[in-house]
């Protein structure tokens, strides 16, 4: 911002992140991390033979097998999820950060080539999500542009065939980042 450039941030949210991890793909990725043999057998046992039912106002569904996902509320759940999505960063030229079920990709925008590079990285993320069956919740994905200009630049980034929503602020890891377009710098609000 001090040099007069803006930074565009693409913010992604995985759709039902922990529930969507396909076990067969997870185990292939664990093998790539050299997690095999007894440890992989133990993890397979940990994820297998799980059942769930839904209870709403006292009415219950029948028990059904859980065929995908990692258990929430366990120590291993978030670790297995992060091991599953860890390779999403490969081939991305912009800056990328992962945390739990969120992902942000950002790039300093000096010209239209920089915007095109960010769009290319968004396309790569979309391809990764299709390949590994981890959909993004498009309604929660958005673009935030941090800049000093009095008028907001026109942003046209897409995820697949969907134009991403442009927002003026977004909460990320408990910090609300706000794009202030009145000639001042970015402001942050900390949430407790």
């Amino acid at each position: 911002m001090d040099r007069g450039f803006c930074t565009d941030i693409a913010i992604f949210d995985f759709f039902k992140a922990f529930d969507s991890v396909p076990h067969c793909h997870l185990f292939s990725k664990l093998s790539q991390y050299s997690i095999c043999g007894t440890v992989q057998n133990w993890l397979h046992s940990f994820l297998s033979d799980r059942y769930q039912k839904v209870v709403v106002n006292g009415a219950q569904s029948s028990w059904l097998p859980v065929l995908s996902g990692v258990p929430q509320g366990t120590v291993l759940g978030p670790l297995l999820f992060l091991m599953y999505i860890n390779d999403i960063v490969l081939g991305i030229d912009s800056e990328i950060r992962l945390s739990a079920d969120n992902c942000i990709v950002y790039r300093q925008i000096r010209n239209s080539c920089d915007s095109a590079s960010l769009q290319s990285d968004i396309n790569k993320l979309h391809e990764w999500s299709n390949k590994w069956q981890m959909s993004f919740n498009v309604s929660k994905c958005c673009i935030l542009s941090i800049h000093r200009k009095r008028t907001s630049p026109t942003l046209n980034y897409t995820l697949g065939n969907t134009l991403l929503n442009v927002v003026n602020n977004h909460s990320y890891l408990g910090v609300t980042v706000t794009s202030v377009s009145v000639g001042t710098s970015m402001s942050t609000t900390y949430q407790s």
Side-chain angles (χ1 to χ4, degrees):
M1 283 183 9
D2 290 339
R3 289 178 280 169
F5 300 122
C6 74
T7 298
D8 286 351
I9 306 169
I11 302 162
F12 299 95
D13 181 86
F14 287 103
F15 184 75
K16 296 186 178 183
F18 285 76
D19 296 331
S20 299
V21 176
H23 293 166
C24 60
H25 292 318
L26 173 63
F27 287 112
S28 72
K29 287 190 178 198
L30 291 176
S31 294
Q32 292 173 0
Y33 289 117
S34 298
I35 298 173
C36 49
T38 304
V39 175
Q40 192 172 96
N41 290 340
W42 183 85
L43 289 170
H44 189 273
S45 177
F46 174 70
L47 294 173
S48 299
D49 297 323
R50 290 183 173 268
Y51 292 83
Q52 68 182 14
K53 68 178 176 178
V54 177
V55 179
V56 178
N57 294 330
Q60 299 182 33
S61 69
S62 32
W63 287 98
L64 294 171
V66 177
L67 303 174
S68 66
V70 293
Q72 296 183 48
T74 65
V75 173
L76 283 177
L79 178 63
L80 291 171
F81 177 77
L82 288 174
M83 291 177 82
Y84 188 73
I85 68 165
N86 198 41
D87 64 350
I88 197 171
V89 302
L90 300 177
I92 302 297
D93 295 321
S94 302
E95 298 294 323
I96 185 169
R97 300 290 180 264
L98 303 174
S99 66
D101 61 348
N102 295 305
C103 170
I104 64 169
V105 178
Y106 57 96
R107 185 178 202 88
Q108 185 180 72
I109 306 298
R110 294 168 295 224
N111 53 46
S112 60
C113 291
D114 290 329
S115 293
S117 293
L118 181 57
Q119 179 62 61
S120 175
D121 287 335
I122 292 169
N123 295 344
K124 290 174 190 173
L125 293 175
H126 183 67
E127 290 167 13
W128 182 95
S129 73
N130 288 334
K131 177 180 180 180
W132 295 105
Q133 300 173 329
M134 291 294 297
S135 299
F136 290 115
N137 186 349
V138 180
S139 66
K140 291 185 178 181
C141 297
C142 57
I143 298 291
L144 174 66
S145 184
I146 299 173
H147 53 87
R148 286 186 171 217
K149 297 176 182 172
R150 293 197 180 274
T151 59
S152 296
T154 304
L155 308 173
N156 290 312
Y157 295 104
T158 59
L159 180 61
N161 294 324
T162 305
L163 184 65
L164 290 172
N165 215 12
V166 177
V167 296
N168 291 323
N169 60 66
H170 194 275
S171 179
Y172 183 70
L173 299 177
V175 176
T176 300
V177 181
T178 305
S179 174
V180 181
S181 58
V182 290
T184 62
S185 61
M186 170 185 72
S187 69
T188 57
T189 304
Y190 298 94
Q191 300 173 340
S192 55

